Amino acid sequence: MRLLTEQMPDLPEAARLDGAGFVQLVVSDACNACGLCERVCPTAALHVTKTEDQFMVIFAAQRCLDCHLCVDYCEPRALTVYGAPSLRHVLDEARLLLHTGHMKECTRCQTRFAGSPEQTLCPTCTFRREHPSGVHLPEAVLAQLPAATRERLLAVNANRASALEPKAKVDRTNGRPTRNFGHHRGAA
């Protein structure tokens, strides 16, 4: 396709492919560089490149099918569809740099992640700290689960506070709660 644009140097840059099944994506600062968008894309239109210090989200508009899987599965909601690419970008097979950011290391699990300067934990460890017994799945995955399973998972997250409360020990002889004053068993 690049030959077409070489033979048509006066092709207007502003010629957009609105309504032709092509989309342009925008990535916000909410991106955590998890790479899920890249993994769910059926045509490899998105690519997340990571180095020790930074990450880049790269997009090839000519490969995109406008299926919205990347947008639907993006947990931090960092991806949005924003109009259509130019005809030149599609014909040149351009790979557009959509976003860059800095990588950090999680202080708990040592995973590399993108985050703000004040963040010390990756998104997974942050969720686990806030919801120790909870389950975290993207909205698009939850929507595909049977209703009963989805409700059960959401209830686990909602009831996490009560699940973490210490349970009172009950004296089996009289059915009353026992008191623990720090004394050893059998001490007077």
Side-chain angles (χ1 to χ4, degrees), residues 118-129:
E118 64 273 0
Q119 282 181 289
T120 59
L121 298 176
C122 68
T124 301
C125 289
T126 300
F127 180 83
R128 287 182 180 157
R129 175 172 276 174

Side-chain angles (χ1 to χ4, degrees), residues 56-70:
M56 296 180 287
V57 180
I58 300 166
F59 178 62
Q62 70 279 3
R63 291 184 169 192
C64 183
L65 298 174
D66 193 17
C67 67
H68 287 244
L69 285 174
C70 57

Side-chain angles (χ1 to χ4, degrees), residues 73-109:
Y73 280 87
C74 181
E75 187 59 28
R77 298 287 180 233
L79 276 170
T80 20
V81 173
Y82 183 75
S86 71
L87 178 60
R88 180 167 294 285
H89 282 141
V90 171
L91 294 178
D92 278 348
E93 298 182 1
R95 295 186 59 84
L96 305 172
L97 177 63
L98 297 183
H99 192 72
T100 61
H102 295 284
M103 298 294 290
K104 299 180 66 171
E105 185 174 283
C106 177
T107 56
R108 186 172 184 194
C109 70

Side-chain angles (χ1 to χ4, degrees), residues 12-186:
E13 188 66 35
R16 296 269 174 219
L17 295 172
D18 293 313
F22 292 98
V23 297
Q24 180 60 47
L25 295 175
V26 175
V27 181
S28 75
D29 288 337
C31 179
N32 62 14
C34 69
L36 185 57
C37 57
E38 178 181 21
R39 291 191 302 276
V40 299
C41 181
T43 61
L46 280 164
H47 184 66
V48 179
T49 302
K50 299 177 195 176
T51 64
E52 195 68 22
D53 298 331
Q54 72 173 12
F55 74 96
M56 296 180 287
V57 180
I58 300 166
F59 178 62
Q62 70 279 3
R63 291 184 169 192
C64 183
L65 298 174
D66 193 17
C67 67
H68 287 244
L69 285 174
C70 57
V71 173
D72 292 343
Y73 280 87
C74 181
E75 187 59 28
R77 298 287 180 233
L79 276 170
T80 20
V81 173
Y82 183 75
S86 71
L87 178 60
R88 180 167 294 285
H89 282 141
V90 171
L91 294 178
D92 278 348
E93 298 182 1
R95 295 186 59 84
L96 305 172
L97 177 63
L98 297 183
H99 192 72
T100 61
H102 295 284
M103 298 294 290
K104 299 180 66 171
E105 185 174 283
C106 177
T107 56
R108 186 172 184 194
C109 70
Q110 284 71 49
T111 297
R112 304 288 302 163
F113 72 100
S116 64
E118 64 273 0
Q119 282 181 289
T120 59
L121 298 176
C122 68
T124 301
C125 289
T126 300
F127 180 83
R128 287 182 180 157
R129 175 172 276 174
E130 295 169 3
H131 310 276
S133 61
V135 177
H136 184 66
L137 294 172
E139 298 274 338
V141 173
L142 283 173
Q144 294 177 11
L145 295 174
T149 303
R150 183 174 51 252
E151 296 301 320
R152 200 168 41 247
L153 289 175
L154 295 173
V156 166
N157 291 343
N159 295 328
R160 71 168 173 44
S162 63
L164 294 176
E165 292 176 5
K167 305 294 182 205
K169 294 184 179 180
V170 176
D171 185 335
R172 293 182 191 205
T173 58
N174 61 17
R176 294 185 183 153
T178 60
R179 295 185 196 176
N180 182 359
F181 295 105
H183 300 292
H184 295 291
R185 180 183 263 166

